[in-house]
Amino acid sequence: MASENPPHWSDILKKRLQNCPKETKEKSEEENKEVETKVFSKYYSEWRGGGDKDKSYGTIPRFYYRLPAEDEVLLQKLREESRAVFLQRKSRELLDNEELQNLWFLLDKHQVPPASGEEAMISYEAYLQVGENAGPKCQKFFTARVYAKLLQNDPYGRISIMHFFNYVMRKVWLHQTRIGLSLYDVAGQGYLRESDLENYILELIPTLPQLDGLEKSFYSFYVCTAVRKFFFFLDPLRTGKIKIQDILACSFLDDLLELRDEELSKESQESNWFSAPSALRVYGQYLNLDKDHNGMLSKEELSRYGTSTLTSVFLDRVFQECLTYDGEMDYKTYLDFVLALENRKEPAALQYIFKLLDMENLGYLNVFSLNYFFRSIQEQIKLHGQEPVSFQDVKDEIFDMVKPKDPCKITLQDLVNSCQGDTVTSILIDLNGFWTYENREVLVANDNDNSNTPDLDDT
């Protein structure tokens, strides 16, 4: 005989209400509705299989933690102290110099012949043996994944000891640097504000031998010069903060910490934005341009920048778009200007210049905007007594170089993708840049002639 269906929750509710005491039935209509709602909620939850004992939301881990407000001084202090303790613990988990040296001795002791050229090699079996003896801090480096990552074309399936040790050193350095930067992350959100990075670099200066000769009075200008490079390239939206992860991923920190090398060559110093000669060069140029010595640059003063061949139309746009004070440019704004013009191949620099060229804020350059800027180049050509150049020819060459998706518009992305953005912008804003482009074939021929000229010492 088939079992009867279980009673529906509505039937249970009706029976429950019928069995209520007489006092309950005599209550007011509102009170009865309240009792009815409670009973309904209870039986409905039981019917659905829920109830107070089984609330799934109670097992969801907390993922949002409110930051302490500015007036919650105690909570802020507690948070700072806890972060400092956490970072100290993470720092102790890293290999120190003695442990790295011990790791190198173990690797060298377990090398497996024959050597690959001058490279000492190690097999996977020996690699695992080193991992067992290297200590708990090294365990994360001795995995099949790491070994496979470093495996190249060795016929015996070995890896280079030097490559592995450099890998470990790089990882340790990255973690050390991340911890060091995180100590200046006041908000504790994984990014540095401008003031945070300024403090980091200011306290880093005494540890960089290449900066020993800097006068302390110049420190603030040096810090400003160094910080601007980070923010110009890593904060294109000008949010005023940079992710620590982005700082570690770019090469700027490597360039800065390269100044620890006491024997850094003169060529390396000149090409390094963060070196003392480079910082003094940029600041010296600023002082030389500032003819009235008021600490700011007017449009007329800036017009002598470089070879003094930037067009007046372009300079007008610089002072229209960039931050100025009573129509004059301060050192920080000047640094952005220099970084853009000295790195025209970089997307961040092209973005800076593109914004100036895009007068109507359309998001692209059309024939009108190209003609507007090139007319200033044509005027300078006439002043120098040279043959006039047809804009139509230049316009066609620009579109041929860039090959934009839309044949009538050139976007910033078109410029970046073409790898010709530096040439295009130079043609439009700088007479010297245009002349270099126009005479490129002659310049290449002269270079070839000079390279073929025999050295007098060899004759």
Side-chain angles (χ1 to χ4, degrees):
M1 184 175 178
S3 60
E4 294 183 0
N5 292 329
H8 195 265
W9 59 267
S10 59
D11 297 329
I12 296 174
L13 179 59
K14 287 177 182 177
K15 289 182 180 179
R16 171 75 178 180
L17 291 173
Q18 289 173 359
N19 295 330
C20 283
K22 185 178 181 182
E23 295 80 8
T24 304
K25 292 180 181 179
E26 293 176 352
K27 288 181 180 178
S28 68
E29 187 176 345
E30 288 185 4
E31 290 176 328
N32 284 335
K33 281 185 178 180
E34 185 179 348
V35 172
E36 184 178 330
T37 300
K38 287 181 179 179
V39 174
F40 170 80
S41 300
K42 176 185 175 184
Y43 282 98
Y44 182 75
S45 298
E46 291 177 359
W47 174 70
R48 291 294 300 269
D52 293 336
K53 295 182 180 180
D54 183 25
K55 290 184 178 178
S56 59
Y57 64 82
T59 63
I60 298 175
R62 184 176 178 183
F63 58 87
Y64 172 75
Y65 294 87
R66 181 182 65 85
L67 293 176
E70 291 184 4
D71 57 343
E72 295 176 320
V73 180
L74 186 60
L75 287 179
Q76 285 186 341
K77 189 65 178 175
L78 177 62
R79 189 167 184 272
E80 289 174 13
E81 290 296 325
S82 62
R83 284 189 68 251
V85 170
F86 170 76
L87 292 172
Q88 288 171 4
R89 178 164 56 82
K90 284 295 180 183
S91 182
R92 288 194 295 270
E93 292 175 2
L94 300 177
L95 294 169
D96 58 30
N97 289 335
E98 184 178 343
E99 289 165 328
L100 285 168
Q101 190 174 21
N102 181 53
L103 174 61
W104 174 255
F105 287 144
L106 283 171
L107 289 168
D108 188 55
K109 182 180 177 181
H110 287 80
Q111 64 176 284
V112 175
S116 177
E118 297 182 356
E119 292 277 346
M121 311 295 285
I122 189 170
S123 66
Y124 186 62
E125 292 76 12
Y127 169 84
L128 293 178
Q129 290 177 12
V130 173
E132 291 174 0
N133 300 321
K137 288 186 182 180
C138 293
Q139 293 307 307
K140 58 188 173 186
F141 300 115
F142 288 89
T143 65
R145 182 188 294 271
V146 172
Y147 190 89
K149 187 184 296 185
L150 299 174
L151 191 62
Q152 295 180 340
N153 298 321
D154 183 69
Y156 304 100
R158 304 167 302 169
I159 63 171
S160 164
I161 287 176
M162 182 58 74
H163 288 174
F164 172 71
F165 190 71
N166 286 339
Y167 171 83
V168 174
M169 289 277 287
R170 180 69 180 171
K171 285 289 188 181
V172 171
W173 179 85
L174 279 173
H175 286 298
Q176 283 176 339
T177 308
R178 178 161 198 147
I179 291 169
L181 288 169
S182 297
L183 290 171
Y184 293 84
D185 176 12
V186 176
Q189 297 294 291
Y191 60 78
L192 296 184
R193 301 169 303 175
E194 201 163 337
S195 58
D196 299 331
L197 191 56
E198 285 173 353
N199 291 332
Y200 172 75
I201 293 177
L202 183 62
E203 295 184 21
L204 192 66
I205 290 176
T207 69
L208 306 175
Q210 287 295 337
L211 300 180
D212 286 344
L214 281 184
E215 296 287 340
K216 287 193 175 181
S217 59
F218 184 67
Y219 277 12
S220 60
F221 294 101
Y222 175 81
V223 169
C224 180
T225 305
V227 168
R228 281 323 301 160
K229 182 159 188 176
F230 283 95
F231 275 84
F232 181 82
F233 289 102
L234 301 182
D235 182 28
L237 298 179
R238 303 296 181 256
T239 62
K241 56 189 180 184
I242 311 175
K243 289 182 180 178
I244 291 176
Q245 187 175 349
D246 291 341
I247 296 175
L248 294 171
C250 75
S251 62
F252 301 157
L253 206 55
D254 288 336
D255 294 340
L256 179 60
L257 297 179
E258 187 181 41
L259 303 180
R260 288 175 174 170
D261 184 0
E262 297 182 12
E263 299 179 357
L264 194 64
S265 67
K266 185 178 179 181
E267 293 76 13
S268 297
Q269 290 187 51
E270 290 176 352
S271 62
N272 189 331
W273 174 266
F274 302 101
S275 70
S278 176
L280 290 168
R281 171 185 65 83
V282 176
Y283 187 63
Q285 288 174 348
Y286 184 78
L287 293 180
N288 288 334
L289 293 173
D290 182 19
K291 290 301 181 183
D292 59 6
H293 307 295
N294 68 342
M296 311 280 277
L297 297 183
S298 65
K299 178 194 164 186
E300 183 182 350
E301 288 172 330
L302 187 64
S303 68
R304 295 194 307 275
Y305 172 81
T307 54
S308 305
T309 53
L310 292 172
T311 66
S312 59
V313 170
F314 175 69
L315 292 172
D316 285 339
R317 289 291 296 146
V318 171
F319 279 82
Q320 286 170 9
E321 289 291 331
C322 298
L323 179 63
T324 57
Y325 301 88
D326 294 327
E328 294 200 318
M329 176 185 290
D330 70 348
Y331 185 55
K332 186 180 290 188
T333 306
Y334 173 76
L335 287 172
D336 285 347
F337 177 80
V338 172
L339 286 165
L341 294 188
E342 289 189 357
N343 300 274
R344 295 183 211 184
K345 289 182 180 292
E346 299 296 327
L350 286 176
Q351 181 182 3
Y352 177 98
I353 300 174
F354 185 88
K355 184 179 180 181
L356 302 177
L357 297 177
D358 182 15
M359 301 175 301
E360 299 176 279
N361 199 26
L362 299 172
Y364 60 82
L365 306 180
N366 52 24
V367 175
F368 172 79
S369 53
L370 296 180
N371 186 29
Y372 180 82
F373 283 95
F374 190 71
R375 273 190 316 208
S376 192
I377 295 287
Q378 289 175 317
E379 290 170 5
Q380 288 195 13
I381 291 174
K382 289 178 183 177
L383 289 175
H384 286 79
Q386 297 178 358
E387 288 293 322
V389 178
S390 167
F391 167 71
Q392 193 66 31
D393 293 340
V394 172
K395 182 261 295 182
D396 291 342
E397 288 188 40
I398 288 176
F399 275 90
D400 286 343
M401 278 191 287
V402 177
K403 295 180 176 60
K405 289 184 178 180
D406 187 322
C408 299
K409 302 174 183 177
I410 296 176
T411 65
L412 173 60
Q413 195 59 51
D414 290 329
L415 277 181
V416 173
N417 293 343
S418 70
C419 299
Q420 299 290 332
D422 58 322
T423 304
V424 172
T425 54
S426 296
I427 290 172
L428 295 173
I429 69 174
D430 185 2
L431 176 63
N432 188 55
F434 172 75
W435 184 90
T436 302
Y437 173 74
E438 276 292 284
N439 297 275
R440 59 194 180 282
E441 294 177 0
V442 177
L443 294 173
V444 169
N446 288 340
D447 287 342
N448 290 336
D449 290 342
N450 291 334
S451 64
N452 292 330
T453 301
D455 195 329
L456 292 176
D457 294 335
D458 295 335
T459 58

